[in-house]
Amino acid sequence: DAKTTQPPSMDCAEGRAANLPCNHSTISGNEYVYWYRQIHSQGPQYIIHGLKNNETNEMASLIITEDRKSSTLILPHATLRDTAVYYCIVRQDNQFYFGTGTSLTVIP
Amino acid sequence: NAGVMQNPRHLVRRRGQEARLRCSPMKGHSHVYWYRQLPEEGLKFMVYLQKENIIDESGMPKERFSAEFPKEGPSILRIQQVVRGDSAAYFCASSPGQGAHEQYFGPGTRLTVT
């Protein structure tokens, strides 16, 4: 179902940038890439989305390759509170397919 | 501005009983989505509703599960004759419109079937 692939887990040192990759090689021209995260067992939280241009907001930056087949979510200065499962999603019609995401652990 | 509300937060049912999960969307949101998350898995889409209409129920099991979003009141996800395999976290999300990019999620209802 999911149109994205992500590494199952990553570690990042506190204060360093966390770079989370995502492959979406079958993405269509008008499909957006979304990133959500789920902290522990809470409801997912929206982070950022993009179509073809790089995007930045107060939480993160999203870098999308020119061919749109992959993207990277960047948390510029990871904190312990950023430990979570991060989902890269390509929306299909009305549905977000979450996949299994990347479990990011920020290490003190 | 209250976020998406779900209740109950935890629900225990015996096999064969009915489970009713409620979701109140954010103020001004008329679109509701239900997702199910089994342990150690990602969220799976179940159903998308607007007020009084089911727009997409392609992720909903064909039997025992139903959803509604009446003109007044919360959206209800109903599971009849629950089985142990229904034990999961059920999340509701809302958005202001079909083309909206963000879905705002509630805290979830954790259903345990004994």
Side-chain angles (χ1 to χ4, degrees), chain A residues 32 34 36 38 41-44 46 49 87 91 94-96 98-100, chain B residues 33 35 37 42-43 45 48 56 58 91 98 100-103 105-106 110:
Chain A
Y32 284 77
Y34 297 80
Y36 279 72
Q38 188 174 25
S41 299
Q42 298 175 22
Y46 167 84
H49 74 275
Y87 296 100
R91 183 175 183 168
N94 303 309
Q95 305 179 21
F96 285 161
F98 275 78
T100 52
Chain B
Y33 310 78
Y35 294 82
Q37 185 173 33
L43 281 74
F45 168 82
Y48 162 41
D56 183 349
S58 57
F91 291 96
Q98 186 170 358
H101 287 293
E102 295 183 44
Q103 291 186 7
F105 282 80
R110 275 143 191 87

Side-chain angles (χ1 to χ4, degrees), chain B residues 5-102:
Chain B
M5 311 279 283
Q6 289 189 249
N7 67 81
R9 295 291 306 275
H10 299 273
L11 181 62
V12 179
R13 285 287 179 266
R14 290 197 181 95
R15 279 179 296 170
Q17 290 185 320
E18 178 180 287
R20 281 186 180 235
L21 289 64
R22 295 175 185 78
C23 169
S24 296
M26 286 183 70
K27 187 176 181 180
H29 288 191
S30 58
H31 296 245
V32 164
Y33 310 78
W34 285 93
Y35 294 82
R36 176 166 64 176
Q37 185 173 33
L38 296 171
E40 309 302 323
E41 295 187 12
L43 281 74
K44 303 293 186 190
F45 168 82
M46 299 182 74
V47 62
Y48 162 41
L49 310 103
Q50 291 181 34
K51 286 280 188 180
E52 300 185 277
N53 286 306
I54 297 175
I55 305 303
D56 183 349
E57 56 182 349
S58 57
M60 194 92 104
K62 293 291 184 281
E63 297 178 351
R64 302 187 297 108
F65 285 72
S66 62
E68 63 177 7
F69 189 15
K71 186 176 180 181
E72 301 292 336
S75 175
I76 307 287
L77 179 68
R78 182 180 176 207
I79 310 172
Q80 295 178 289
Q81 299 174 321
V82 295
V83 300
R84 288 225 172 99
D86 297 331
S87 295
Y90 291 83
F91 291 96
C92 163
S94 73
S95 71
Q98 186 170 358
H101 287 293
E102 295 183 44

